[in-house]
Amino acid sequence: MSSTKSSRHEGFTAEERVAMKDHAQELKKAARRGSRADKAAEAERDLLIKISEMQDSDRVMAERVHAVITASAPLLAPKLWYGMPAYALDGKIVCFFQSAEKFKARYATLGFSDQARLDEGPMWAAGFALTEVTAEVEARIGALVKQAVS
């Protein structure tokens, strides 16, 4: 296959490159932190700062998702993951919140990694679109997070 001016390789998007740079910075910052308690406190502080920097609708949803996750599964450690609020168990990401703004999507996403115990037969959801966090959505998130760490 020859290369021409009209055919060019599509690499990572600008948003994906920013996310990768965010992740590299997160790893460097984590390596410099002191005690385990210091690391946890700083990681949560960084997460809360990242949420506060989001646009209004994403910020409101992320704040509510954070409150539900930390109340429903206090054993999950808040941290940043590719520049997104995430929650880890034993250092492994279980779930994360992706703002709509981050990848210019029409909705925010609550995602779960393969560490989450959401298995339901041969197929189950691992990501959920969020346009609003209502009381019903909060209850569903709480139930999912509890199941994810069960």
Side-chain angles (χ1 to χ4, degrees), residues 105-123:
R106 66 183 180 93
Y107 52 81
T109 304
L110 175 64
F112 291 87
S113 76
D114 63 334
Q115 299 298 309
R117 297 183 183 111
L118 298 178
D119 306 38
E120 292 181 9
M123 183 175 147

Side-chain angles (χ1 to χ4, degrees), residues 11-78:
F12 294 107
T13 65
E15 294 82 9
E16 290 168 331
R17 285 191 298 278
V18 167
M20 289 184 288
K21 287 179 184 177
D22 286 345
H23 188 57
Q25 287 301 107
E26 292 156 14
L27 292 173
K28 287 178 187 175
K29 201 171 195 181
R32 290 191 303 260
R33 290 187 176 140
S35 73
R36 185 178 206 154
D38 289 344
K39 287 180 183 186
E42 286 186 45
E44 183 165 17
R45 182 183 53 83
D46 291 345
L47 178 142
L48 293 172
I49 289 169
K50 182 62 78 172
I51 289 173
S52 74
E53 294 170 347
M54 291 178 183
Q55 289 183 351
D56 289 343
S57 61
D58 283 335
R59 181 183 40 74
V60 169
M61 285 191 291
E63 288 170 346
R64 292 182 71 187
V65 167
H66 176 71
V68 170
I69 291 173
T70 55
S72 301
L75 64 155
L76 290 176

Side-chain angles (χ1 to χ4, degrees), residues 16 46 85 89 121 141 149:
E16 290 168 331
D46 291 345
L89 182 62
I141 291 169
V149 297

